[in-house]
C-alpha cells in the first residue's frame, strides 16, 4: 500500500509545481470504500456529523491531523522561544554596556572640558 495523494492537481506530473491553495476540513481516509448511502449520510450531516459509526474503518482522522499540527507547532515554538530569550538577553546586556559607555563618555567629556578651560587660563 502506498502512493501519492493529489488535491486539485492539474496533472499527475509531481514536478508541475502546482500547490493546492484551498482549505480542507473534516478530511478522513477510510480503509474501505464507503457506500453511497454512507457518503450521503455524511454529506447530509454536514460538519457536525458524528463519524464515530465509521471509527473502525477510519485510518486517518481529521482530529489526528489537527493534533499532529499542534504538536509540530509546539515543537517548533520551543526553540524559537529559547532563541528569543537568548537574543533578548544579548540585547539587554548590550543596552547595559551602552549605558555604561555613555556615562564614561560624559565623565571623559567633562574632564576634557575642564582641561580645555585650564589650558585657556594658562595660555591666556
Amino acid at each position: 500500500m502506498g502512493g501519492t495523494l493529489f488535491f486539485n492537481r492539474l496533472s499527475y506530473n509531481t514536478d508541475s509545481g502546482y500547490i493546492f491553495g484551498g482549505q480542507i476540513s473534516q478530511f478522513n481516509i477510510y480503509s474501505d470504500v464507503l457506500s453511497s448511502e454512507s457518503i450521503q449520510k455524511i454529506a447530509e450531516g454536514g460538519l457536525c456529523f458524528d463519524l464515530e459509526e465509521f471509527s473502525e474503518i477510519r485510518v486517518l482522522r481529521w482530529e489526528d491531523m489537527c493534533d499532529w499540527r499542534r504538536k509540530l507547532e509546539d515543537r517548533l515554538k520551543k526553540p524559537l522561544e529559547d532563541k528569543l530569550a537568548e537574543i533578548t538577553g544579548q540585547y539587554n546586556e548590550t543596552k547595559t554596556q551602552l549605558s555604561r559607555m555613555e556615562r564614561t563618555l560624559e565623565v571623559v567629556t567633562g574632564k576634557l572640558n575642564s582641561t580645555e578651560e585650564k589650558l585657556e587660563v594658562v595660555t591666556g
Side-chain angles (χ1 to χ4, degrees), residues 55-119:
S55 63
E56 290 182 21
I57 60 170
R58 269 197 324 163
V59 293
L60 181 60
R61 303 171 342 151
W62 177 252
E63 306 87 85
D64 296 337
M65 288 186 280
C66 291
D67 287 345
W68 175 81
R69 180 178 178 192
R70 275 186 226 105
K71 287 176 186 172
L72 179 62
E73 286 172 348
D74 289 345
R75 229 174 85 206
L76 294 174
K77 191 185 334 176
K78 177 72 171 121
L80 291 175
E81 288 172 345
D82 291 348
K83 191 66 175 172
L84 179 61
E86 178 187 336
I87 290 170
T88 301
Q90 290 172 349
Y91 167 76
N92 289 332
E93 185 179 324
T94 303
K95 191 174 165 185
T96 301
Q97 289 173 349
L98 181 60
S99 180
R100 283 188 204 134
M101 289 176 154
E102 286 174 336
R103 285 193 299 271
T104 302
L105 182 60
E106 287 173 7
V107 170
V108 169
T109 301
K111 287 180 181 181
L112 282 174
N113 288 338
S114 174
T115 303
E116 185 180 33
E117 290 170 3
K118 287 178 185 176
L119 277 173

Side-chain angles (χ1 to χ4, degrees), residues 11-44:
S11 71
Y12 288 104
N13 178 358
T14 57
D15 297 328
S16 71
Y18 178 80
I19 298 172
F20 174 74
Q23 284 188 322
I24 297 175
S25 181
Q26 296 296 327
F27 177 77
N28 297 280
I29 295 179
Y30 300 90
S31 61
D32 271 340
V33 175
L34 297 176
S35 68
S36 58
E37 294 82 21
S38 295
I39 294 170
Q40 183 176 0
K41 191 176 190 180
I42 293 170
E44 288 173 352

